[in-house]
Amino acid sequence: MYKIPENQQHVFNAVAYMIEKKLLDIQLQLIAHHNPLKQVSIQYDPIKDEQLLNKIHEKLNALYQLLAEFCVAYQVPIQTVNFKKELNVKAN
């Protein structure tokens, strides 16, 4: 298998992490639209179309599978995320 030069590996890592963050954002939006969450100044229109939800979940699962294959092929390491540190970053 082709070994990516170390000075270029960070690009593959960043792409994988960015894509996974976007997929996670989509999942969070689905949760917000499908489940009653505590809201004050935002109100999400509920998704009532179960077929649409199922299709979205199928597509998300397919994208996660492709991302997993990408990570294996390009040796993208798993990044451990600390909850407290992530909250601090979002707060700033």
Side-chain angles (χ1 to χ4, degrees):
M1 179 186 286
Y2 176 73
K3 176 73 174 145
I4 299 167
E6 193 172 325
N7 63 345
Q8 296 174 357
Q9 181 67 44
H10 69 92
V11 174
F12 288 85
N13 299 351
V15 166
Y17 300 150
M18 181 191 68
I19 291 170
E20 189 159 11
K21 280 291 205 181
K22 293 297 179 187
L23 291 173
L24 183 57
D25 286 344
I26 294 168
Q27 288 179 313
L28 292 173
Q29 287 298 315
L30 282 172
I31 290 169
H33 282 274
H34 193 60
N35 299 300
L37 301 175
K38 183 175 183 173
Q39 299 159 347
V40 176
S41 64
I42 298 172
Q43 181 175 346
Y44 291 99
D45 289 334
I47 301 173
K48 296 179 178 144
D49 186 346
E50 290 297 322
Q51 269 188 320
L52 175 62
L53 281 173
N54 289 335
K55 283 182 183 178
I56 292 170
H57 285 292
E58 285 175 20
K59 296 295 183 185
L60 281 171
N61 289 335
L63 289 169
Y64 270 111
Q65 181 59 43
L66 288 170
L67 180 60
E69 292 169 13
F70 176 89
C71 289
V72 168
Y74 295 103
Q75 298 133 13
V76 175
I78 294 174
Q79 179 181 21
T80 302
V81 178
N82 179 286
F83 181 69
K84 187 175 180 180
K85 288 180 183 176
E86 189 170 41
L87 284 180
N88 286 336
V89 167
K90 289 184 184 280
N92 291 325

